[in-house]
Amino acid sequence: MLAAKLQQHQKTSGTKYDPIQITHVKLPPSPLPPAHALVAIHCAALNHRDVYIREGLYPAVTDGSILGSDASGTIEASSSGLWAKGDRVLVNPARGWISQQDSPEAVHEFNILGLLPEQGTFAQFISVHQDDLAPLPRHLSFEQGSALPLAGLTAYRAVVTLGKCKAGDKVLIPGKYWRRRGSLCPPVCSCVGRGGVGDFIEPDKIAQAMALGARGGVSYKDDQWPAKLNSASGASFNLVIDGASGPNLSAYIRLMELGGTLCIYGAVAGSNSTFTVPFLWFKHLTIKGVCMGSRQEFQEMVAFVAEKKIVPVVHAVFKGLGRLDDAFDVMRAGSQMGKLVVSEIQGGLRESRL
């Protein structure tokens, strides 16, 4: 089968950026292990994690890893009666986390697809445990479905499991960062509460966010953005879902309501933050880290998306694995609203510049 493998190299000058090679690799072992299915991948979506891996910013990067964490496809073969050939499925991107709510049952066994020892989804086939698959919701295409797993699982855990968002809650979602991750937090919030208020750069992005369920937004480049956010929301925030961290964390905490929850899933704006610590106890705040979710949460998330008819936003589709580097270029530029998807993976390279 064809797959996109990481080819590590030594940084000589400028920014490290490891190349990928589309090459033939062995199919997953046959016969399949018990309770497993072989999935023919139709579409796979990119995440910033894939870029960080190529830039050497991710821990434990292994040469020869098949990248990619998101995928939709069909069952090619199964060693159990749970799935039949041709079933449309989504692949859970997390491994080693079954159902425990607070954290994985054994942290050292927790992995995410896309780095050895776990095969990634930028490949034509993948062998998956039967319980790490979920039916692709009928209202979604393969392209839309591939945009769901990682971003959807993260959003669901932040909003529902940890944030315990409910009707009437005010939610702040820093938009510059979530808009690149599938734009799933606003519609999830909208389905369980009142929706979010995000901070964005461009006015047209605010309009797009409001179409997804947000109640409004302001530009974070405005010096008065904290006051304007507070005015736009009409009250302090019960829940903040942040993928930025960095210098804005202090302002987010000041904008929070008594008993509020801050869920952090990334640090795009910087790994170091400072804030006034007494706000935590005087406001009775809770800070929680979000890194994927359990197998049980993945199943719950997909069922939730199917019930509420949520549609992930796809910014662009690139046909064939040969267009993968083009998709990476767009991801690195950071101007997209929604996910970047590689389609027609079963068709091979298609047009290639590699």
Side-chain angles (χ1 to χ4, degrees), residues 69-263:
S69 305
D70 285 333
S72 63
T74 54
I75 299 296
E76 183 71 15
S78 176
S79 59
S80 76
L82 186 60
W83 299 101
K85 183 177 175 64
D87 285 347
R88 301 192 334 148
V89 294
L90 296 176
V91 178
N92 179 13
R95 294 292 178 271
W97 190 353
I98 308 303
S99 61
Q100 184 170 285
Q101 187 173 105
D102 293 338
S103 63
E105 288 81 359
V107 175
H108 66 280
E109 295 180 1
F110 175 72
N111 284 302
I112 303 172
L113 298 184
L115 276 180
L116 288 172
E118 301 294 343
Q119 180 200 314
T121 58
F122 297 153
Q124 291 182 309
F125 296 93
I126 188 170
S127 176
V128 181
H129 189 279
Q130 63 181 16
D131 295 333
D132 281 318
L133 295 171
L136 173 61
R138 296 179 64 181
H139 71 285
L140 297 181
S141 66
F142 284 114
E143 289 82 0
Q144 293 165 336
S146 70
L148 181 61
L150 191 149
L153 182 55
T154 301
Y156 185 85
R157 180 164 174 80
V159 175
V160 179
T161 305
L162 299 180
K164 301 186 186 305
C165 186
K166 60 186 182 302
D169 281 352
K170 297 292 182 67
V171 185
L172 171 61
I173 309 167
K176 180 183 178 183
Y177 306 100
W178 67 255
R179 66 182 170 85
R180 304 174 189 174
R181 289 167 166 79
S183 310
L184 284 160
C185 281
V188 172
C189 289
S190 183
C191 287
V192 298
R194 287 192 58 185
V197 177
D199 57 331
F200 299 81
I201 300 177
E202 307 92 343
D204 65 308
K205 295 297 189 297
I206 296 176
Q208 291 179 50
M210 292 179 69
L212 293 171
R215 300 286 171 165
V218 301
S219 169
Y220 77 87
K221 288 191 172 182
D222 188 323
D223 291 339
Q224 302 300 314
W225 70 261
K228 290 185 176 181
L229 264 180
N230 195 51
S231 175
S233 68
S236 300
F237 294 97
N238 307 96
L239 174 62
V240 177
I241 302 171
D242 180 37
S245 297
N248 288 338
L249 192 64
S250 177
Y252 299 153
I253 289 174
R254 288 175 178 270
L255 288 167
M256 293 180 68
E257 181 60 88
L258 288 173
T261 299
L262 168 62
C263 290

